[in-house]
Amino acid sequence: YVNYTVYLTNPSNYHLRVPGGYLILPDEGNLGIILFRKTLGDPDDFIALDLTCTNEPLEQCKVALDGTGFYLVCPCCGSEFSIFDGMVTKGPARWSLKEYETILTESTVRIFN
């Protein structure tokens, strides 16, 4: 169960005010959630993805951002996922990362399922 609110007015979250900004929530979801800002001025500005690799979820393999900032990579199997939509860009994983719902208001982002 996930129901978490991120306050964009919090100085530690100012980086989320621009596209490309992200926040790792290590205690949410299964192995953590990444909240990523894709755009500005769009209802789908944010995406929230679970950090659990879908190739072997029982192995507790946690994906991490690569050096480019565009992909989440699994250290166990090498699968890559797009940060923009969670889709597989390189196997062996066949399923995209779990996406959580997000709602953006003026100064908050709510993440929930």
Side-chain angles (χ1 to χ4, degrees):
Y1 177 75
V2 173
N3 186 13
Y4 191 85
T5 302
V6 175
Y7 297 92
L8 300 176
T9 54
N10 184 329
S12 65
N13 294 331
Y14 273 9
H15 60 286
L16 291 171
R17 293 183 169 265
V18 296
Y22 68 92
L23 178 65
I24 303 287
L25 304 167
D27 298 326
E28 298 297 323
N30 186 36
L31 293 178
I33 292 175
I34 185 167
L35 177 66
F36 179 75
R37 181 140 207 182
K38 299 187 291 184
T39 61
L40 283 176
D42 186 289
D44 295 322
D45 278 351
F46 287 92
I47 187 166
L49 300 169
D50 199 282
L51 295 176
T52 304
C53 180
T54 59
N55 187 49
E56 296 184 44
L58 298 179
E59 294 297 320
Q60 298 292 302
C61 292
K62 183 177 179 177
V63 298
L65 219 65
D66 74 345
T68 69
F70 295 114
Y71 301 100
L72 294 161
V73 180
C74 176
C76 301
C77 69
S79 293
E80 292 181 1
F81 306 86
S82 169
I83 188 71
F84 293 97
D85 57 13
M87 299 294 287
V88 177
T89 57
K90 177 183 167 192
R94 293 182 281 166
W95 298 281
S96 58
L97 295 174
K98 176 176 176 35
E99 182 177 351
Y100 295 93
E101 296 290 327
T102 60
I103 294 179
L104 171 64
T105 62
E106 285 185 26
S107 61
T108 64
V109 179
R110 184 171 160 238
I111 304 165
F112 62 97
N113 58 353

